[in-house]
Amino acid sequence: MMLIECPVCKEKRPELEFRYAGEAHIARPEDPDALSDQEWAKYLFIRSNPRGTHFERWVHAHGCAKFFNAVRDTVTDKFVMTYKCGEARPSPEQIAERQS
Amino acid sequence: MSQYRRTKKGRVDSRQQISFSFDGKTYQGLKGDTLASALLANGVHLVGRSFKYHRPRGIMAAGSDEANALVAFDRGEARVTPNMRATTLELYDGFKAQSQNNWPSLNFDVTAINDRLSAFFPAGFYNKTFMWPKSFWDKVYEPAIRATAGLGPAPKAADPDKYDANYTHCETLIVGAGPAGIAAARAAAKKGGRVILVDEQGELGGSLLSAPDQKIDGQPAWDWLAESLAELDAAENVTLMPRTTAIGYYHDNFLGLAERLTDHLPEDAAEGPRERLHRVWAQEVILATGAIERPLVFAGNDRPGVMLASAAQTFLNRYGVAVGEKIAVVTGHDSAYKAAFDLSDADIEIAVIVDCRAQVDQKLIAEAEKRGISLRTGHTVTATKGRHRVKSITINKVNGDQVDPAGETLECDALIMSGGWTPSVHLWSHSKGSLQWRDDIAAYVPDKPNENAICVGACNGDFGIGAAMAAGAKAAGGDHTFDVDDTWPWTGAGTLEILPTHRDESRIKAFVDFQNDVTAKDIRLAVREGFKSIEHIKRYTTTGMATDQGKTSNLNGLQIAASALGRPVPQVGLTTFRPPYTPTTYGALAGNNGGAAFDVVRKTSIDGWAEEHGAVFEPVGLWRRARYFPRDGEDMHQAVAREGKATRDSLGIFDASTLGKIEVVGPDAAEFLNRMYTNPWTKLGVGRCRYGLMLGEDGYIMDDGVIGRLADDRFHVTTTTGGAPRVLAHMEDYLQTEWPDLDVWLTSITEQWAVIALNGPNARKLIEPFVEGVDLSSDAFPHMAVRECKVCGIDARLFRVSFSGELGFEINVPAHYGRALWETLYAAGQQYDITPYGTEVMHVLRAEKGFIIVGQDTDGTVTPYDAGMSWAIGKKKKDFVGKRSLARPDIVAEGRKQLVGLMTKNPKTVLEEGAQIVMTPNQSIPMEMVGHVTSSYWSETLGHSIALALVADGHDLKGQTIYVPMPDEMIEAEIVDTIFYDKQGEQLNVF
Ligand SMILES: [Zn+2]
């Protein structure tokens, strides 16, 4: 079982306390009606599903109940870092630094 | 003392005799024995029958790698544990075990005829046999195979033992308490931090327990071991855990440790839990898991009395048991010589050492000569004889590729073998550490780690004791090197191939996987039949798929497959290692979550009353809910008819506490609900309620419920029983991540309020005397109103709502008052024949009114339009979750399944929920299915059956006849409106 650092609680806690919540940094459009069907379908259904670095959302369901973002490597299944909702997507340099 | 016991050898205590029973016969053993060592001391080699061919099998190993000697460990009828390895069962006074997989007895097993019929059991036997006819699968093949092949049966009674579990953290976890592991533990103890040292055996020491003549830092090995363990035991930061198997190694240095606490104790001394599963997070993991000796593959290598050389050495040095009086040795690796010399030095006759290598180390030759042992290099074993124990072997000279057919038969009563050593990389592989092939030892060894882990000693392919101990110490931050005399030659890749033979290889049984009865011939057949991947060969032949997961067989099988494929081993790969390392009891995995704690039942505060009043329950989500309350002799149908009629005629009482409840509070609460639900909330007055429909962003119905406005900035939201956590998470998601600017707080209050629903024309009359401060008249307190008030003096939230179509109230009180209020209302309601009803009537009454149940009449692909609920959508709202999706092309397309009512032509026929619907009855199969029945009941009120269904374009098909094909009839029904009862809603407003 993985240990996941909750950026709100600032503690590493067992995976059991958390729930995965899909890819991160996909903002709901301000005015959905302004989107074409294709654009809306892209927002709704299309995800990057990368091999390697993945930006994703987690929620500390059995803890502070806060959603947060994480960088996880989908090959090694290792968490590189976690950060609060609203914070910018970490740069490749920041990620590389954490991985080293 | 038996002729096989060597009282001067071993760590067993010859002053402590203990008696034990095997297959009903009583024997004597010594304290410190395993079942295997004690049986061997009594000259018993035959202990089991093989899985498929029922061949006689003996003890082949001395530890958890044993593949043959599986027995049923018997601690009383409900405590029989099948398939335990005789080599890992510690003896105690009164110990009992039985052999398994034989009938009528171990010595005479009629199903051993399978061995003679083995031509009919080739590789892929199951796959091939089960091809045809299909109808034979369940009825003929499966039972026949289950009856004749297989392992021991599980006990039928519930397991009376307790199991425990905990979570632990440590800085250094060391797996394996052999020389490398102990050296690591000592260094780690000095370094500081919490240290855990685990070993699967009852006694710590690993290979040192079998090497009494070894010297370490000038001390005899056993003295060094005792001192080291005493030092570790005294260290406050060290936990020693014998009888503990590291069963799995997972992400983030998380390991499962199964500790066996009582199996080694007499039953009357066994207290507390039988096993404890430790879930451990370790900062660093040091794997010192050793290596497993490989058997050699030759004809008759499975006969009782044929065993691994290191096992014979262990039985002698650790248990003081000679596995025979005249022992033959066959090897492809130097290590077997040391075993032979130890046996010889204990005055056991060595019949011969057969080495399949042409050249061996001069020192070994000299030592053999010194002991007068006949050594045959460049030889092979081509046959063994002996019915229940090996009596002789045939050896032949090998000249290049040719085997001299003129063999020599030598008598012996045991044959010990070594095909080299396989590092135990199981845990390393669980952790996704990579492996590399080493030709010089013919084995895979650890390469790159994936976790903070390191392998030391034999599991890393480093076989010298001194080197292993230095590596162990270094891994734990120490720098101690050990003065160890381990100049013994330790070379030889071993032999992974079938030993050369002049015999027709298609006619001999040379076993690779002893436990699953897989021979070299089977593996070659699989390759001939076209299997190229080792993962496929494994599944086709079942090699490595027995309870030992191929500990002794994987590499031999791999090499034989690689040779047949004509490719080097590294190109053929290796099958995946999976937890658990050794078979683990379900009890250990279940831990404390057994019995009532297996799946904890959520009960309302009124549940006890329902139980006392004979309710029949059903699970709903995690809750158990009263389904109906049968009176004397009633079946469900009769009870439901009575409860429903009583509710419509007078008064029914229903426990609705399981309804999900969320309090939505804050200045922006109404705006938040506007965005989360399809309906408009801004203009809903304080003290009023509205039905709310929640969609996913994909536009499909996700949940529904009544929402009451308690104040401008406070809403009491209800959800479906099963949907409450999902709805709260969905709300939190949008609130936290999309609209953090909204000032809203969400609180789950499901558990805080008990809810009693009263439905029926007399509902108001019943509650009126108990309600303080609310005018309950229809004008002052109309349908869909809510008040905070007192009921029976208890703070309450009183809703006037109805899920039945009758005049209805739902009284919310703090949960701990639920039962008291229920009993008060029930007593007062006797004058109205108040009738408790369960979820079944609740379902019927709502279906009569055409109210949907999300998850029953919807399935995650139903839009509000499909459900006929366009009225619930706030037309003027610019946006809400799911709104944009309602304009998607597929959502507005024709042909979508829409919710309709169904009335069967025969009013007595009740459709089956889930039944498929077709438009015309006379179609060929498969018919064109246009929908399915979602809800179906007998309506006592209406005197006919009713149903709801999803039918393609159903809204346009009112009045049409559809058909429901069932196995024995074709049911005709008419598509009707979804509201069957009181279409005008007059019943809601009776006074
Ligand atoms: Zn947290």
Side-chain angles (χ1 to χ4, degrees):
Chain A
M1 188 172 7
M2 288 185 284
L3 290 174
I4 300 173
E5 168 129 10
C6 172
V8 181
C9 297
K10 296 194 167 55
E11 264 194 66
K12 271 199 166 188
R13 306 290 301 176
E15 188 186 339
L16 277 176
E17 295 183 6
F18 299 84
R19 197 170 54 79
Y20 179 67
E23 187 167 359
H25 301 293
I26 298 174
R28 189 172 189 272
E30 282 288 319
D31 181 5
D33 280 343
L35 269 59
S36 69
D37 285 335
Q38 284 204 334
E39 287 167 332
W40 181 250
K42 183 164 180 277
Y43 159 72
L44 207 53
F45 301 122
I46 307 301
R47 297 294 179 265
S48 63
N49 194 28
R51 185 180 193 281
T53 301
H54 189 229
F55 301 89
E56 59 196 26
R57 305 184 327 137
W58 286 77
V59 58
H60 195 180
H62 303 285
C64 62
K66 292 294 184 200
F67 284 77
F68 61 90
N69 292 335
V71 182
R72 187 177 57 96
D73 189 306
T74 59
V75 178
T76 62
D77 202 10
K78 283 185 189 300
F79 278 81
V80 179
M81 59 202 293
T82 58
Y83 53 102
K84 286 183 190 170
C85 276
E87 289 178 12
R89 187 194 293 257
S91 67
E93 293 74 30
Q94 286 171 303
I95 292 167
E97 192 190 312
R98 284 296 192 97
Q99 276 173 323
S100 63
Chain B
M1 214 56 70
S2 88
Q3 58 183 332
Y4 297 103
R5 185 69 80 175
R6 295 292 183 271
T7 46
K8 291 203 181 79
K9 305 284 272 180
R11 299 171 68 81
V12 290
D13 187 345
S14 58
R15 289 160 306 178
Q16 289 201 58
Q17 287 256 356
I18 48 184
S19 73
F20 68 101
S21 125
F22 179 67
D23 271 350
K25 192 175 166 192
T26 302
Y27 299 92
Q28 298 301 311
L30 297 179
K31 178 140 179 62
D33 263 328
T34 62
L35 173 61
S37 69
L39 285 172
L40 291 170
N42 284 280
V44 177
H45 277 256
L46 173 65
V47 292
R49 289 276 174 172
S50 72
F51 180 69
K52 196 158 75 175
Y53 302 131
H54 289 248
R55 285 166 68 97
R57 288 285 166 81
I59 294 156
M60 66 168 286
S64 67
D65 49 334
E66 175 61 45
N68 282 337
L70 300 186
V71 299
F73 177 38
D74 185 350
R75 284 168 77 83
E77 202 187 336
R79 288 188 162 96
V80 174
T81 312
N83 312 325
M84 297 289 270
R85 289 140 305 188
T87 49
T88 62
L89 289 171
E90 295 176 58
L91 227 52
Y92 53 82
D93 206 41
F95 178 101
K96 246 175 97 180
Q98 289 101 33
S99 63
Q100 39 186 48
N101 202 25
N102 60 72
W103 185 83
S105 75
L106 182 56
N107 279 296
F108 177 74
D109 177 0
V110 286
T111 37
I113 190 74
N114 285 3
D115 193 21
R116 303 285 169 81
L117 300 175
S118 62
F120 301 103
F121 293 87
F125 162 73
Y126 298 93
N127 314 48
K128 286 167 180 162
T129 311
F130 287 2
M131 297 282 278
W132 183 92
K134 200 174 171 181
S135 60
F136 272 37
W137 287 359
D138 296 348
K139 295 195 174 75
V140 181
Y141 297 136
E142 178 82 14
I145 288 179
R146 288 251 177 268
T148 57
L151 301 163
K156 293 207 161 51
D159 186 347
D161 282 316
K162 295 270 180 291
Y163 298 83
D164 197 13
N166 69 19
Y167 286 92
T168 309
H169 293 254
C170 69
E171 274 62 47
T172 309
L173 172 66
I174 301 155
V175 181
I182 289 173
R186 286 178 63 175
K190 282 203 188 75
K191 185 173 70 172
R194 292 159 293 180
V195 179
I196 297 176
L197 174 63
V198 302
D199 195 286
E200 61 178 348
Q201 301 199 43
E203 197 174 8
L204 304 180
S207 64
L208 293 180
L209 299 171
S210 306
D213 57 353
Q214 184 69 56
K215 288 237 173 9
I216 298 170
D217 286 347
Q219 269 183 305
W222 288 359
D223 293 350
W224 180 88
L225 178 62
E227 250 177 48
S228 299
L229 291 176
E231 177 190 310
L232 290 170
D233 199 31
E236 277 186 9
N237 58 336
V238 178
T239 307
L240 299 177
M241 292 173 63
R243 298 185 187 87
T244 304
T245 306
I247 55 172
Y249 189 154
Y250 310 89
H251 283 304
D252 274 348
N253 270 7
F254 179 68
L255 288 91
L257 310 177
E259 182 181 19
R260 292 168 295 281
L261 299 162
T262 59
D263 272 6
H264 64 293
L265 301 172
E267 280 151 60
D268 52 10
E271 280 178 15
R274 180 187 177 205
E275 296 182 39
R276 182 175 289 127
L277 187 68
H278 302 262
R279 296 176 171 90
V280 182
W281 277 283
Q283 203 168 76
E284 61 172 345
V285 173
I286 298 174
L287 296 174
T289 46
I292 292 171
E293 194 168 24
R294 297 190 287 250
L296 288 165
V297 182
F298 54 92
N301 62 344
D302 66 324
R303 214 172 287 283
V306 182
M307 67 170 65
L308 298 170
S310 61
Q313 191 177 18
T314 292
F315 285 123
L316 177 70
N317 289 335
R318 181 168 168 189
Y319 299 104
V321 175
V323 300
E325 293 180 305
K326 187 171 184 184
I327 299 177
V329 183
V330 55
T331 186
H333 191 271
D334 292 349
S335 62
Y337 286 80
K338 181 69 170 73
F341 300 156
D342 280 2
L343 294 165
S344 175
D345 295 348
D347 297 328
I348 298 161
E349 186 183 346
I350 300 299
V352 65
I353 297 178
V354 178
D355 199 318
C356 48
R357 299 170 297 180
Q359 303 288 329
V360 294
D361 193 287
Q362 282 304 318
K363 183 178 174 186
L364 297 176
I365 295 170
E367 292 282 340
E369 254 170 34
K370 196 169 91 188
R371 291 173 175 83
I373 297 172
S374 155
L375 171 60
R376 307 292 187 86
T377 55
H379 273 67
T380 180
V381 175
T382 56
T384 67
K385 283 212 172 73
R387 185 161 162 71
H388 287 158
R389 177 161 176 189
V390 64
K391 285 199 176 94
S392 70
I393 62 170
T394 305
I395 68 172
N396 301 60
K397 191 160 174 45
V398 183
N399 302 307
D401 290 344
Q402 294 299 309
V403 176
D404 185 350
E408 185 184 347
T409 297
L410 299 169
E411 284 187 5
C412 62
D413 61 356
L415 170 62
I416 66 174
M417 58 185 167
S418 180
W421 293 79
T422 306
S424 293
V425 296
H426 307 70
L427 291 168
W428 173 265
S429 293
H430 293 175
S431 81
K432 306 277 190 289
S434 66
L435 298 172
Q436 58 175 326
W437 176 256
R438 257 178 67 185
D439 261 331
D440 62 327
I441 59 169
Y444 283 101
V445 295
D447 188 13
K448 291 187 179 60
N450 180 53
E451 300 287 347
N452 188 11
I454 184 167
C455 288
V456 295
C459 73
N460 197 40
D462 300 330
F463 291 106
I465 288 184
M469 293 178 74
K474 185 164 174 251
D479 56 4
H480 190 76
T481 54
F482 298 84
D483 176 18
V484 175
D485 167 35
D486 54 359
T487 53
W488 269 99
W490 187 284
T491 60
T495 302
L496 296 171
E497 257 296 353
I498 180 167
L499 289 189
T501 183
H502 61 289
R503 296 169 65 189
D504 176 355
E505 286 187 7
S506 69
R507 303 188 72 90
I508 60 174
K509 283 203 195 78
F511 285 88
V512 176
D513 183 327
F514 291 71
Q515 199 169 110
N516 262 356
D517 267 354
V518 181
T519 63
K521 185 170 63 181
D522 293 325
I523 294 171
R524 288 173 173 170
L525 177 64
V527 171
R528 278 206 307 282
E529 291 185 356
F531 291 93
K532 291 190 171 65
S533 153
I534 193 64
E535 293 283 3
H536 289 155
I537 292 168
K538 164 181 163 173
R539 282 158 183 78
Y540 191 59
T541 62
T542 73
T543 187
M545 289 175 70
T547 68
D548 64 340
Q549 285 193 60
K551 284 188 175 58
T552 49
S553 65
N554 276 340
L555 282 191
N556 288 340
L558 182 60
Q559 177 66 61
I560 290 164
S563 298
L565 287 163
R567 292 155 65 194
V569 168
Q571 281 185 28
V572 178
L574 182 64
T575 52
T576 312
F577 294 96
R578 291 195 174 85
Y581 175 68
T582 49
T584 305
T585 64
Y586 280 111
L589 299 176
N592 303 307
N593 299 321
F598 174 66
D599 188 9
V600 178
V601 176
R602 271 179 109 180
K603 295 177 186 172
T604 72
S605 58
I606 299 158
D607 180 273
W609 189 94
E611 191 170 294
E612 289 158 26
H613 288 76
V616 173
F617 292 94
E618 68 168 342
V620 181
L622 298 174
W623 295 95
R624 80 162 188 176
R625 301 192 71 179
R627 191 173 183 191
Y628 57 98
F629 293 82
R631 290 191 182 156
D632 299 332
E634 278 182 342
D635 61 14
M636 183 172 97
H637 179 79
Q638 292 162 330
V640 167
R642 173 182 52 73
E643 291 171 15
K645 188 168 188 320
T647 303
R648 292 237 185 269
D649 289 351
S650 176
L651 181 58
I653 183 167
F654 176 67
D655 179 5
S657 303
T658 66
L659 265 185
K661 297 174 276 294
I662 299 166
E663 197 150 311
V664 178
V665 183
D668 298 321
E671 174 57 20
F672 179 67
L673 292 178
N674 276 337
R675 299 185 194 185
M676 295 310 301
Y677 284 84
T678 61
N679 327 63
W681 300 96
T682 313
K683 289 184 183 159
L684 182 71
V686 171
R688 298 308 307 260
C689 305
R690 180 166 288 163
Y691 172 81
L693 188 62
M694 173 176 269
L695 308 183
E697 198 69 277
D698 54 12
Y700 297 129
I701 294 174
M702 182 178 160
D703 203 79
D704 68 351
V706 168
I707 300 175
R709 191 167 201 168
L710 301 174
D712 269 342
D713 61 352
R714 184 175 294 266
F715 291 82
H716 180 111
V717 174
T718 65
T719 75
T720 57
T721 290
R726 189 166 58 237
V727 170
L728 180 63
H730 179 70
M731 287 181 170
E732 281 285 358
D733 191 348
Y734 278 90
L735 182 60
Q736 289 181 33
T737 69
E738 298 295 350
W739 309 309
D741 53 309
L742 292 185
D743 193 356
V744 178
W745 294 86
L746 305 172
T747 309
S748 167
I749 52 168
T750 303
E751 303 269 1
Q752 277 62 38
W753 296 99
V755 185
I756 297 170
L758 295 149
N759 282 276
N762 287 314
R764 182 187 287 116
K765 282 185 225 154
L766 171 68
I767 67 169
E768 213 148 27
F770 299 109
V771 176
E772 295 168 39
V774 182
D775 175 357
L776 293 184
S777 70
S778 264
D779 289 341
F781 192 59
H783 181 55
M784 298 302 266
V786 60
R787 296 285 184 280
E788 290 182 281
C789 60
K790 283 198 190 297
V791 178
C792 291
I794 308 163
D795 286 330
R797 290 179 177 177
L798 177 63
F799 287 75
R800 183 170 162 197
V801 290
S802 173
F803 199 40
S804 65
E806 301 302 326
L807 173 64
F809 297 90
E810 286 182 2
I811 309 172
N812 290 246
V813 290
H816 52 281
Y817 286 115
R819 180 162 179 174
L821 179 61
W822 176 282
E823 287 179 350
T824 305
L825 294 171
Y826 185 69
Q830 292 307 315
Q831 56 183 314
Y832 307 112
D833 285 331
I834 189 168
T835 301
Y837 65 93
T839 51
E840 199 60 30
V841 161
M842 180 268 282
H843 278 131
V844 175
L845 300 186
R846 67 88 200 177
E848 288 171 348
K849 287 293 293 176
F851 295 144
I852 63 162
I853 288 192
V854 174
Q856 176 167 343
D857 301 299
T858 71
D859 60 3
T861 67
V862 176
T863 68
Y865 307 140
D866 299 339
M869 297 172 77
S870 305
W871 53 265
I873 296 172
K875 301 287 182 300
K876 292 181 192 148
K877 284 165 63 170
K878 181 160 168 42
D879 191 16
F880 55 80
V881 173
K883 177 169 186 287
R884 175 63 184 85
S885 286
L886 294 178
R888 280 165 53 207
D890 286 345
I891 299 293
V892 297
E894 284 187 4
R896 292 191 62 80
K897 288 184 185 173
Q898 297 169 332
L899 193 73
V900 295
L902 293 181
M903 293 253 286
T904 48
K905 283 277 149 73
N906 176 352
K908 302 281 180 205
T909 304
V910 180
L911 294 168
E912 262 187 50
E913 290 176 354
Q916 295 292 323
I917 294 167
V918 299
M919 294 307 292
T920 57
N922 300 315
Q923 304 178 43
S924 57
I925 294 172
M927 297 186 178
E928 190 190 347
M929 295 172 286
V930 297
H932 64 276
V933 179
T934 60
S935 292
S936 177
Y937 309 95
W938 169 254
S939 169
E940 187 70 12
T941 308
L942 301 168
H944 60 75
S945 74
I946 58 168
L948 297 173
L950 287 166
V951 177
D953 289 326
H955 292 162
D956 295 334
L957 298 176
K958 297 267 164 69
Q960 286 227 28
T961 299
I962 54 90
Y963 298 87
V964 178
M966 297 303 288
D968 47 358
E969 61 177 327
M970 180 68 72
I971 304 171
E972 232 181 304
E974 186 188 332
I975 295 185
V976 297
D977 191 73
T978 53
I979 305 175
F980 296 91
Y981 170 77
D982 186 25
K983 287 186 200 291
Q984 311 309 320
E986 287 160 358
Q987 286 297 112
L988 289 171
N989 287 309
V990 295
F991 47 88

